[in-house]
Amino acid sequence: MKALVFQGPEQTAWQDVPDPALQDAADAIIRVDVVTLCGTDLHIIKGDVPEVTPGRVLGHEAVGTVVEAGADVRTARPGDRVLISCISPCGRCRFCREGHYGQCRGGGGWVLGHTIDGTQAEYVRVPFADLSVYALSASIDSYDGVLLADIFPTSYEVGVLNGGVRPGDTVVVVGAGPIGLAAIVCAGLYSPGRVIAVDLAESRLAAARSLGADATASAAEEPEQLVDDLTEGLGADVVIEAVGMPEAFEMCTRMVRPGGRVANIGVHGKPATLHLEDLWIKDITLTTGLVDTYSTPMLLRMMAAGRLASSPLITHRFELGQMDEAYDVFSRAGDTGALKVALGGPQHNEITAPAQP
């Protein structure tokens, strides 16, 4: 089969690799029908995630069709159309039993495209399939459903819930890329008083307004002053960092009010300064986190009911074999206006599993 293989910092290739095979009775082999690119993938390609080694197939978000299921898999059968979650929990370790699936210590967690081969391929092996894949109802289009693999659970759990968004709050989202835009949508579920989006790209600020932001500000034009003006000098109740850059994080800590919350979603490849000389007296709460995806079933129900805005998020579509073109468009989002980039298209009809010893 073909897959996108990480070959080292700034080097990837769409190339032939062996077809995946079941390695455990809890595995499933899934044909990838729609896959999407993530900002985390860009961080990996830059070399910011050293756990990803050369030879790894990238990707952790997809919708596909089950072609083979291990003997222990009970909830997915060949022919099922399923969402592949970015998190693969073992379900047995301490963290999984507490619902902290992202911190799994039983061989799962964020493994796809990280420590095992991922979804930017024609086929993928998904471990712990009973807890890692979700049947999609006919009412959910595959291009909408793929947004629930990562960005919506991440923005909801790590941004909105960790940030403790409450009715009437002033919420600032720094970074209006896909994760930040999903955070704006999810914050709206809690009736905040206002949502302010900050980004450098006007196209992304326009998308933020279309998805519910009440005010927007260019990151290059004193957004802190806008927040100050709109809150009568108090600052925001919740600030969500959705960029992963030191400057963005430090801006967030300057925008938050005394007693407020800063929720970091961004993937950081460089150190950021925590200005405790200013913050020690402000009684703020700072949270970080990797998504657990415990909210995925609820978000799926909301999407099926038409209660989760998603259609404006996918701005570019490509065939599966156009990985290089898709990454080029996605990595130059400031020029191309790209938000979420999705790939799907012609598929092989068969998978040849290696002969068993």
Side-chain angles (χ1 to χ4, degrees), residues 198-224:
V198 178
D199 201 279
L200 284 169
E202 176 53 38
S203 61
R204 292 190 166 195
L205 295 177
R209 290 189 290 270
S210 74
L211 289 167
D214 302 289
T216 59
S218 169
E221 297 179 0
E222 299 185 353
E224 297 164 56

mmCIF file of all heavy atoms in Angstrom, residues 198-224:
data_model
loop_
_atom_site.group_PDB
_atom_site.id
_atom_site.type_symbol
_atom_site.label_atom_id
_atom_site.label_comp_id
_atom_site.label_asym_id
_atom_site.label_seq_id
_atom_site.Cartn_x
_atom_site.Cartn_y
_atom_site.Cartn_z
ATOM 1 N N VAL A 198 -8.205 35.675 18.361
ATOM 2 C CA VAL A 198 -6.966 36.379 18.019
ATOM 3 C C VAL A 198 -6.171 35.520 17.040
ATOM 4 O O VAL A 198 -5.956 34.330 17.286
ATOM 5 C CB VAL A 198 -6.112 36.653 19.272
ATOM 6 C CG1 VAL A 198 -4.803 37.332 18.896
ATOM 7 C CG2 VAL A 198 -6.889 37.488 20.283
ATOM 8 N N ASP A 199 -5.750 36.116 15.933
ATOM 9 C CA ASP A 199 -4.933 35.399 14.960
ATOM 10 C C ASP A 199 -4.243 36.423 14.072
ATOM 11 O O ASP A 199 -4.632 37.594 14.040
ATOM 12 C CB ASP A 199 -5.788 34.445 14.115
ATOM 13 C CG ASP A 199 -4.965 33.343 13.468
ATOM 14 O OD1 ASP A 199 -4.335 33.594 12.419
ATOM 15 O OD2 ASP A 199 -4.930 32.224 14.011
ATOM 16 N N LEU A 200 -3.239 35.969 13.342
ATOM 17 C CA LEU A 200 -2.557 36.847 12.399
ATOM 18 C C LEU A 200 -3.255 36.926 11.048
ATOM 19 O O LEU A 200 -3.146 37.926 10.347
ATOM 20 C CB LEU A 200 -1.115 36.366 12.181
ATOM 21 C CG LEU A 200 -0.116 36.653 13.299
ATOM 22 C CD1 LEU A 200 1.178 35.879 13.063
ATOM 23 C CD2 LEU A 200 0.165 38.149 13.396
ATOM 24 N N ALA A 201 -3.984 35.848 10.671
ATOM 25 C CA ALA A 201 -4.568 35.754 9.336
ATOM 26 C C ALA A 201 -6.007 36.251 9.333
ATOM 27 O O ALA A 201 -6.850 35.748 10.091
ATOM 28 C CB ALA A 201 -4.515 34.316 8.833
ATOM 29 N N GLU A 202 -6.320 37.198 8.444
ATOM 30 C CA GLU A 202 -7.677 37.720 8.359
ATOM 31 C C GLU A 202 -8.661 36.644 7.925
ATOM 32 O O GLU A 202 -9.804 36.621 8.376
ATOM 33 C CB GLU A 202 -7.732 38.897 7.378
ATOM 34 C CG GLU A 202 -9.130 39.451 7.137
ATOM 35 C CD GLU A 202 -9.880 39.811 8.425
ATOM 36 O OE1 GLU A 202 -9.252 40.326 9.365
ATOM 37 O OE2 GLU A 202 -11.105 39.567 8.479
ATOM 38 N N SER A 203 -8.223 35.708 7.071
ATOM 39 C CA SER A 203 -9.131 34.639 6.642
ATOM 40 C C SER A 203 -9.578 33.787 7.821
ATOM 41 O O SER A 203 -10.741 33.354 7.894
ATOM 42 C CB SER A 203 -8.447 33.760 5.586
ATOM 43 O OG SER A 203 -7.276 33.146 6.117
ATOM 44 N N ARG A 204 -8.674 33.563 8.773
ATOM 45 C CA ARG A 204 -9.036 32.766 9.945
ATOM 46 C C ARG A 204 -9.906 33.570 10.909
ATOM 47 O O ARG A 204 -10.808 33.018 11.547
ATOM 48 C CB ARG A 204 -7.771 32.248 10.635
ATOM 49 C CG ARG A 204 -7.037 31.231 9.787
ATOM 50 C CD ARG A 204 -5.919 30.528 10.527
ATOM 51 N NE ARG A 204 -5.478 29.357 9.770
ATOM 52 C CZ ARG A 204 -4.731 28.388 10.253
ATOM 53 N NH1 ARG A 204 -4.310 28.445 11.514
ATOM 54 N NH2 ARG A 204 -4.384 27.360 9.506
ATOM 55 N N LEU A 205 -9.677 34.859 10.995
ATOM 56 C CA LEU A 205 -10.544 35.694 11.829
ATOM 57 C C LEU A 205 -11.946 35.746 11.241
ATOM 58 O O LEU A 205 -12.941 35.746 11.982
ATOM 59 C CB LEU A 205 -9.949 37.091 11.969
ATOM 60 C CG LEU A 205 -8.611 37.158 12.719
ATOM 61 C CD1 LEU A 205 -8.079 38.590 12.729
ATOM 62 C CD2 LEU A 205 -8.754 36.641 14.150
ATOM 63 N N ALA A 206 -12.051 35.771 9.919
ATOM 64 C CA ALA A 206 -13.367 35.733 9.281
ATOM 65 C C ALA A 206 -14.071 34.411 9.583
ATOM 66 O O ALA A 206 -15.284 34.379 9.861
ATOM 67 C CB ALA A 206 -13.232 35.941 7.776
ATOM 68 N N ALA A 207 -13.326 33.312 9.542
ATOM 69 C CA ALA A 207 -13.910 32.015 9.892
ATOM 70 C C ALA A 207 -14.364 32.005 11.345
ATOM 71 O O ALA A 207 -15.414 31.451 11.681
ATOM 72 C CB ALA A 207 -12.896 30.903 9.638
ATOM 73 N N ALA A 208 -13.572 32.631 12.223
ATOM 74 C CA ALA A 208 -13.948 32.694 13.637
ATOM 75 C C ALA A 208 -15.274 33.440 13.811
ATOM 76 O O ALA A 208 -16.138 33.018 14.584
ATOM 77 C CB ALA A 208 -12.842 33.377 14.443
ATOM 78 N N ARG A 209 -15.435 34.541 13.100
ATOM 79 C CA ARG A 209 -16.696 35.281 13.198
ATOM 80 C C ARG A 209 -17.856 34.434 12.701
ATOM 81 O O ARG A 209 -18.949 34.451 13.289
ATOM 82 C CB ARG A 209 -16.593 36.588 12.410
ATOM 83 C CG ARG A 209 -15.661 37.626 13.045
ATOM 84 C CD ARG A 209 -15.758 38.974 12.363
ATOM 85 N NE ARG A 209 -15.192 38.968 11.015
ATOM 86 C CZ ARG A 209 -13.920 39.242 10.732
ATOM 87 N NH1 ARG A 209 -13.064 39.531 11.721
ATOM 88 N NH2 ARG A 209 -13.490 39.234 9.488
ATOM 89 N N SER A 210 -17.641 33.677 11.630
ATOM 90 C CA SER A 210 -18.721 32.857 11.082
ATOM 91 C C SER A 210 -19.122 31.726 12.021
ATOM 92 O O SER A 210 -20.249 31.225 11.958
ATOM 93 C CB SER A 210 -18.314 32.286 9.721
ATOM 94 O OG SER A 210 -17.365 31.236 9.864
ATOM 95 N N LEU A 211 -18.205 31.331 12.910
ATOM 96 C CA LEU A 211 -18.466 30.222 13.831
ATOM 97 C C LEU A 211 -18.838 30.686 15.236
ATOM 98 O O LEU A 211 -18.976 29.863 16.131
ATOM 99 C CB LEU A 211 -17.248 29.301 13.890
ATOM 100 C CG LEU A 211 -17.009 28.469 12.628
ATOM 101 C CD1 LEU A 211 -15.628 27.821 12.647
ATOM 102 C CD2 LEU A 211 -18.084 27.395 12.475
ATOM 103 N N GLY A 212 -19.014 32.000 15.424
ATOM 104 C CA GLY A 212 -19.552 32.451 16.709
ATOM 105 C C GLY A 212 -18.726 33.434 17.489
ATOM 106 O O GLY A 212 -19.160 33.876 18.564
ATOM 107 N N ALA A 213 -17.540 33.806 17.006
ATOM 108 C CA ALA A 213 -16.758 34.803 17.737
ATOM 109 C C ALA A 213 -17.462 36.154 17.675
ATOM 110 O O ALA A 213 -17.924 36.587 16.624
ATOM 111 C CB ALA A 213 -15.353 34.913 17.148
ATOM 112 N N ASP A 214 -17.545 36.825 18.814
ATOM 113 C CA ASP A 214 -18.210 38.126 18.884
ATOM 114 C C ASP A 214 -17.280 39.264 18.501
ATOM 115 O O ASP A 214 -17.739 40.337 18.073
ATOM 116 C CB ASP A 214 -18.737 38.358 20.305
ATOM 117 C CG ASP A 214 -19.695 37.270 20.736
ATOM 118 O OD1 ASP A 214 -20.817 37.238 20.211
ATOM 119 O OD2 ASP A 214 -19.307 36.432 21.571
ATOM 120 N N ALA A 215 -15.988 39.062 18.668
ATOM 121 C CA ALA A 215 -15.000 40.080 18.313
ATOM 122 C C ALA A 215 -13.728 39.369 17.885
ATOM 123 O O ALA A 215 -13.456 38.238 18.313
ATOM 124 C CB ALA A 215 -14.719 41.007 19.497
ATOM 125 N N THR A 216 -12.968 40.010 17.014
ATOM 126 C CA THR A 216 -11.707 39.439 16.563
ATOM 127 C C THR A 216 -10.630 40.510 16.607
ATOM 128 O O THR A 216 -10.920 41.712 16.559
ATOM 129 C CB THR A 216 -11.814 38.885 15.130
ATOM 130 O OG1 THR A 216 -12.206 39.935 14.236
ATOM 131 C CG2 THR A 216 -12.813 37.741 15.051
ATOM 132 N N ALA A 217 -9.390 40.057 16.709
ATOM 133 C CA ALA A 217 -8.265 40.988 16.754
ATOM 134 C C ALA A 217 -7.066 40.355 16.099
ATOM 135 O O ALA A 217 -6.798 39.161 16.279
ATOM 136 C CB ALA A 217 -7.926 41.354 18.196
ATOM 137 N N SER A 218 -6.331 41.147 15.334
ATOM 138 C CA SER A 218 -5.080 40.671 14.761
ATOM 139 C C SER A 218 -4.039 40.558 15.863
ATOM 140 O O SER A 218 -3.901 41.455 16.705
ATOM 141 C CB SER A 218 -4.587 41.622 13.679
ATOM 142 O OG SER A 218 -3.261 41.294 13.295
ATOM 143 N N ALA A 219 -3.297 39.459 15.851
ATOM 144 C CA ALA A 219 -2.240 39.273 16.847
ATOM 145 C C ALA A 219 -1.148 40.322 16.708
ATOM 146 O O ALA A 219 -0.369 40.527 17.645
ATOM 147 C CB ALA A 219 -1.647 37.877 16.714
ATOM 148 N N ALA A 220 -1.106 40.997 15.556
ATOM 149 C CA ALA A 220 -0.073 42.013 15.334
ATOM 150 C C ALA A 220 -0.519 43.409 15.735
ATOM 151 O O ALA A 220 0.255 44.359 15.626
ATOM 152 C CB ALA A 220 0.329 42.009 13.859
ATOM 153 N N GLU A 221 -1.750 43.550 16.211
ATOM 154 C CA GLU A 221 -2.299 44.890 16.463
ATOM 155 C C GLU A 221 -2.874 45.018 17.878
ATOM 156 O O GLU A 221 -4.045 45.342 18.074
ATOM 157 C CB GLU A 221 -3.358 45.230 15.423
ATOM 158 C CG GLU A 221 -2.803 45.290 14.003
ATOM 159 C CD GLU A 221 -3.858 45.606 12.968
ATOM 160 O OE1 GLU A 221 -5.044 45.777 13.355
ATOM 161 O OE2 GLU A 221 -3.515 45.674 11.764
ATOM 162 N N GLU A 222 -2.072 44.742 18.873
ATOM 163 C CA GLU A 222 -2.411 44.967 20.277
ATOM 164 C C GLU A 222 -3.742 44.330 20.697
ATOM 165 O O GLU A 222 -4.648 45.000 21.181
ATOM 166 C CB GLU A 222 -2.438 46.465 20.589
ATOM 167 C CG GLU A 222 -1.099 47.144 20.358
ATOM 168 C CD GLU A 222 -1.112 48.601 20.784
ATOM 169 O OE1 GLU A 222 -2.187 49.114 21.133
ATOM 170 O OE2 GLU A 222 -0.022 49.206 20.774
ATOM 171 N N PRO A 223 -3.885 43.007 20.537
ATOM 172 C CA PRO A 223 -5.124 42.359 20.983
ATOM 173 C C PRO A 223 -5.349 42.487 22.485
ATOM 174 O O PRO A 223 -6.495 42.473 22.945
ATOM 175 C CB PRO A 223 -4.924 40.904 20.571
ATOM 176 C CG PRO A 223 -3.447 40.735 20.468
ATOM 177 C CD PRO A 223 -2.929 42.042 19.966
ATOM 178 N N GLU A 224 -4.258 42.618 23.242
ATOM 179 C CA GLU A 224 -4.415 42.767 24.690
ATOM 180 C C GLU A 224 -5.182 44.040 25.037
ATOM 181 O O GLU A 224 -5.960 44.064 25.993
ATOM 182 C CB GLU A 224 -3.044 42.773 25.361
ATOM 183 C CG GLU A 224 -2.292 41.461 25.183
ATOM 184 C CD GLU A 224 -0.815 41.606 25.491
ATOM 185 O OE1 GLU A 224 -0.502 42.052 26.610
ATOM 186 O OE2 GLU A 224 0.015 41.271 24.616
#
